[in-house]
């Protein structure tokens, strides 16, 4: 679980109408296996008029997409990649690109 997609990861959408789009993970919903990706899968939400915004309006918000539909983008390959696990000298695990070995942690 700790080695899956995390908040802040750059991911690419692999399927569906937004295929190929990239964005940062805003939020992960581990129970539903869904992620919210910045500017991806936007849905329009109607806002009620408020005192500050008496007209109301339409707000665009990210809707969650299934975690299996996105892949982490390797910054070195600049391509969506599967990630593997690397052990550091202190014994901790990090995620790395399966292709080039680039470590994904920042
Ligand atoms: Zn790579």
């Amino acid at each position: 679980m700790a080695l899956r997609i995390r908040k802040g990861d750059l991911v690419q959408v692999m399927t569906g109408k937004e295929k190929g789009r990239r964005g940062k993970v805003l939020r992960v919903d581990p129970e539903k296996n869904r992620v919210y990706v910045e500017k991806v899968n936007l849905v329009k939400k109607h806002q009620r008029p408020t005192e500050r915004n008496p007209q109301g309006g339409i707000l665009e918000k990210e809707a969650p997409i299934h975690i299996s539909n996105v892949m982490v983008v390797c910054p070195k390959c600049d391509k969506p990649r599967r990630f593997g696990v690397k052990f550091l000298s202190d014994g901790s695990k990090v995620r790395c690109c399966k292709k080039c070995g680039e470590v994904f942690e920042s």
Side-chain angles (χ1 to χ4, degrees):
M1 197 60 215
L3 294 168
R4 295 177 65 174
I5 288 173
R6 289 181 196 164
K7 188 179 166 186
D9 283 344
L10 179 68
V11 295
Q12 182 166 329
V13 181
M14 302 310 291
T15 181
K17 66 176 163 68
E18 310 236 36
K19 189 176 167 180
R21 292 199 70 159
R22 288 181 183 183
K24 276 221 151 82
V25 174
L26 300 172
R27 189 147 71 85
V28 180
D29 186 342
E31 261 171 46
K32 293 184 178 138
N33 280 319
R34 282 170 190 275
V35 289
Y36 294 78
V37 184
E38 192 178 27
K39 303 277 178 225
V40 171
N41 204 23
L42 291 173
V43 288
K44 288 190 166 80
K45 287 210 166 163
H46 293 270
Q47 247 186 348
R48 283 198 185 147
T50 58
E51 251 174 64
R52 259 170 61 194
N53 183 10
Q55 304 260 310
I58 297 166
L59 191 76
E60 290 204 312
K61 269 198 102 177
E62 287 87 0
I65 46 179
H66 199 265
I67 216 157
S68 64
N69 292 343
V70 299
M71 278 179 90
V72 176
V73 174
C74 170
K76 208 166 167 188
C77 303
D78 194 34
K79 287 215 162 68
R81 293 290 191 215
R82 292 188 177 279
F83 49 77
V85 178
K86 224 181 211 175
F87 289 90
L88 299 180
S89 49
D90 67 355
S92 60
K93 283 194 229 172
V94 292
R95 300 171 305 165
C96 65
C97 175
K98 269 202 165 169
K99 204 90 180 172
C100 73
E102 178 82 357
V103 172
F104 290 164
E105 315 305 318
S106 46

